[in-house]
Amino acid sequence: KNYDLQASYTLPKAEASVTDQFPGDEFTGGGIGQFSSAYDTWHASDKLFGETPWSTRHYVKVAGSAHYDLTDWYEVSFGVNAFWRTGYHYSKRQKPPKMYDPAGPNDDPDDPSSWTGFAPRRSESFYFADGRGSEVLPSIYQIDVSLQNAFKFGKWGTATVVFDVNNVTDNQEILTEAETYNPNNPGIFGQANAWADPLSYELQLKYAF
């Protein structure tokens, strides 16, 4: 009667085709762009079926609480809420490999470092070497705890003091911002915000008649 525990595990795999580029785009007739033109647009997939953006493969959630009636006028509750999930899948743009261009004045067929050409559909703007959903952002977890104290005053009501600690371990994972695409460093991923809010404390005072 005094304890409660719930846990769940989800194993999803969302697959589809991303066929639109930007909301209100005059060339595609509108749609929802995923991340930016650098990630999982129709330029990336060529309308092929594959893992969609924002697909997380593993998701675990746990919630538990304990409740104690210590006296006729005082009771206390302690709760924990936590989750862990793998990072979202995405497709990362890179610089395409150069190929020999017979029309290039300085292209030497025996010296790949001199090549300046590109293969068909391998423009520098939209080249995805590893295909759809091949990259995964860092996983994330968060733990929240709550302590609730209730004081009963009979017909005069109940006063409750609630103390919450959100993101106990201050786990935020991605903390810095980088450019979405940099030809000189194609391995970086542009993420302006952290995955989770930082550690925070909340104190609530309630009175019920």
Side-chain angles (χ1 to χ4, degrees):
K1 294 181 179 179
N2 296 329
Y3 302 93
D4 178 73
L5 177 64
Q6 297 182 7
S8 69
Y9 169 72
T10 306
L11 177 64
K13 186 175 182 181
E15 291 189 343
S17 124
V18 179
T19 58
D20 294 325
Q21 186 176 10
F22 299 110
D25 186 283
E26 61 180 320
F27 300 106
T28 63
I32 299 175
Q34 310 292 342
F35 290 104
S36 73
S37 61
Y39 301 98
D40 278 320
T41 64
W42 62 277
H43 294 281
S45 64
D46 292 329
K47 300 187 178 182
L48 296 178
F49 193 82
E51 191 142 12
T52 58
W54 305 108
S55 170
T56 179
R57 187 62 59 81
H58 305 282
Y59 200 171
V60 178
K61 292 182 284 186
V62 178
S65 65
H67 177 87
Y68 300 96
D69 294 313
L70 298 182
T71 68
D72 293 338
W73 58 271
Y74 174 64
E75 60 185 49
V76 61
S77 300
F78 178 76
V80 177
N81 186 64
F83 75 87
W84 172 84
R85 69 170 183 239
T86 50
Y88 294 116
H89 292 260
Y90 70 97
S91 302
K92 183 168 61 178
R93 181 170 65 182
Q94 301 179 11
K95 285 196 71 172
K98 297 292 183 64
M99 302 188 66
Y100 172 68
D101 183 2
N106 298 316
D107 282 27
D108 181 351
D110 299 321
D111 182 10
S113 64
S114 68
W115 296 353
T116 58
F118 295 100
R121 306 189 68 84
R122 303 266 175 159
S123 68
E124 188 167 341
S125 298
F126 300 103
Y127 172 67
F128 296 80
D130 300 318
R132 291 283 304 282
S134 55
E135 300 288 337
V136 182
L137 295 177
S139 62
I140 180 68
Y141 73 89
Q142 182 168 322
I143 303 172
D144 306 324
V145 299
S146 178
L147 179 64
Q148 177 172 302
N149 300 273
F151 303 89
K152 302 176 182 178
F153 302 108
K155 65 180 182 179
W156 303 106
T158 302
T160 306
V161 180
V162 183
F163 179 64
D164 294 329
V165 182
N166 301 313
N167 197 358
V168 173
T169 61
D170 197 24
N171 179 48
Q172 299 177 69
E173 294 297 340
I174 300 176
L175 299 175
T176 59
E177 180 177 0
E179 296 178 51
T180 300
Y181 175 65
N182 183 340
N184 298 319
N185 189 5
I188 63 176
F189 171 72
Q191 176 64 42
N193 302 310
W195 280 119
D197 292 329
L199 170 69
S200 64
Y201 304 94
E202 295 181 8
L203 181 64
Q204 303 177 55
L205 302 178
K206 301 179 181 180
Y207 195 92
F209 294 96

